[in-house]
Structures are given as C-alpha cells and as structure tokens.
Amino acid sequence: GLLAFPSCLTKGFQQIAPLRRIDSAPDSILQASSVLEDSPVSPDLSEEQTATDLPPVLQHIVDERNEFQLNLGKAMDTLRKDYPEILKKSPDFSIYHKDINVVDPSGVQLTGLSNYRYSFSFYQTIVKVLYSPRSGLQFRMVYDFARSSIRVSWNVVLFPKVPMARPLYVDGVSSYKLDSKSGKITEHRIENLIVNGTPQAPPYGIFQMMREEMLSNRPVRVPVGAGVGAV
C-alpha cells in the first residue's frame, strides 16, 4: 500500500543535508509576566561549539548580566507570589539586600533587612487587630527599564472591625531598585500614596494615614482603582 518513488527522485533527496532548526530570541526585552530561566545547552552541541571565545573582561560582563537577569526574574516571581497575602503573611526576604533602604512617603527611612522585617510585622499586626479578614489587596507589576526598577501599583481595601465604620482605601506605588551586580533589591520606595481618593504629602505616611482615617469623621470618598500613579 506504500507509494514507490522512482530511484531518480529518491537519489536526489539523499544529497540534501538535513535542516537544522535555529531558535533565537532577543534577550533585551523583559515582559512583566515573564519568568527568566536558564536555557539548557542543546545536547547535540559539542564542547567546541559551546565554548566562548570572548575575552575574560567581556565574559565577566556577560556572566554578571546573566546573573542579574536570573535574580531579576526571581525577584519578580517572588513579589508576584507574595503580594496577594502581604497584609497577612511575611514575604520571602531572600530577594532583598541585607542593607536595603526603605523610604516611606513621609520621608522616613529604614535601613537594614532586620528593620524591614520588623516593619512588615508591625503593619500586619495593625491590620490583624483593627481590620476584618475581608480586607484585601490588588496589584499590577511592571519592570521599568528606564528607571531600572520593578514597579508595583497596588490598591488596598481595609474593612474596620468597628461596626458601621467606613472602609479605608489606600493606593500607592512600590518601586524596587536592584543591585546591578547581584540583582538583590536594595531599595523599596513607596510613592504616590492616595487615601480614600486624596493624594497624601509629607509629613503623612502610611501608618499616620491609617490612624487618622480610623479617628476622623470625614465623608466617604470614591476609592480609586489599582494602578493610580503607575508608570
């Protein structure tokens, strides 16, 4: 039942070398949802083909760039995993530099990973004591090549445990700077803080605004959506 081709045709096919598929993709573009992974070397390549001929100085630069991209991908994946539960659970601190600098909208700065850990424990305790488990957070993440930073636009809705109390809506942008060599986060800056639709300016910070909103009797304002003040 098989078709037989004349030998004059099949002989010509034998002289055609098998085609090789070449995969290539530019590595200069990073999308917010992408996960950077090591691409294994194809098993059909010999050691001579995989060996680099770059001078040591250039090879060092290439290695640093590859390490930075891998750490950047890990940082974005970790933040993407941590943010949905960041009001209740401690994040993964392995992506942060031990000398991280944290800047609050009020201008207050924290330095060091231990202080950064404590700040999370502090505001999570406030949320647990004062607000209902119904409270939640939405976010949107991008990598800003121009600023060399990860930017996360977030929107928090906090429902007080006090009966008849109004919800608290907090919007902001977290900007994360990464070390150029290691890819570890060295700075977390909170920007464009908006509480119940009103932009906040120094000396007001996040915790001051949470306390003020709980004690004030101002009318409820329309909340803004996630992403206000983003890139």
Side-chain angles (χ1 to χ4, degrees), residues 37 68 103 117 224:
E37 299 178 348
F68 175 82
V103 184
R117 289 175 182 267
V224 289

Side-chain angles (χ1 to χ4, degrees), residues 32-216:
S33 61
S34 64
V35 179
L36 299 179
E37 299 178 348
D38 274 322
S39 298
V41 178
S42 178
D44 63 340
L45 296 179
S46 64
E47 294 183 0
E48 293 181 357
Q49 291 174 306
T50 57
T52 59
D53 298 327
L54 294 176
V57 175
L58 293 180
Q59 184 62 50
H60 180 68
I61 295 175
V62 171
D63 293 341
E64 283 189 345
R65 181 186 178 189
N66 290 337
E67 182 180 1
F68 175 82
Q69 289 181 337
L70 290 173
N71 282 307
L72 173 60
K74 178 184 177 182
M76 295 185 71
D77 289 340
T78 302
L79 290 171
R80 189 179 296 111
K81 180 187 68 175
D82 288 342
Y83 257 85
E85 298 295 326
I86 207 168
L87 297 177
K88 305 172 185 176
K89 298 181 181 179
S90 295
D92 182 352
F93 292 101
S94 66
I95 60 176
Y96 301 98
H97 196 277
K98 63 183 180 66
D99 297 323
I100 184 173
N101 187 45
V102 186
V103 184
D104 184 83
S106 64
V108 176
Q109 297 189 22
L110 295 176
T111 301
L113 190 57
S114 60
N115 289 328
Y116 193 47
R117 289 175 182 267
Y118 177 77
S119 68
F120 274 97
S121 176
F122 178 66
Y123 84 69
Q124 287 172 351
T125 300
I126 291 179
V127 171
K128 182 178 181 180
V129 172
L130 299 180
Y131 297 97
S132 165
R134 296 168 50 208
S135 304
L137 176 147
Q138 295 180 341
F139 71 97
R140 183 172 66 90
M141 181 189 304
V142 297
Y143 182 72
D144 187 345
F145 283 95
R147 300 170 182 168
S148 298
S149 64
I150 301 171
R151 293 178 67 80
V152 181
S153 305
W154 43 264
N155 169 244
V156 177
V157 182
L158 299 173
F159 296 98
K161 292 182 178 180
V162 179
M164 305 301 292
R166 63 181 179 275
L168 176 62
Y169 299 90
V170 184
D171 291 85
V173 177
S174 285
S175 175
Y176 298 91
K177 291 280 188 180
L178 281 75
D179 178 64
S180 60
K181 293 184 178 180
S182 67
K184 296 285 185 178
I185 295 175
T186 57
E187 180 184 89
H188 177 189
R189 182 179 295 272
I190 302 174
E191 306 168 347
N192 302 347
L193 183 64
I194 301 174
V195 177
N196 280 355
T198 302
Q200 305 300 313
Y204 297 104
I206 292 180
F207 300 121
Q208 291 89 337
M209 293 292 26
M210 290 174 63
R211 180 177 180 276
E212 180 178 312
E213 286 294 320
M214 284 292 295
L215 299 176
S216 68

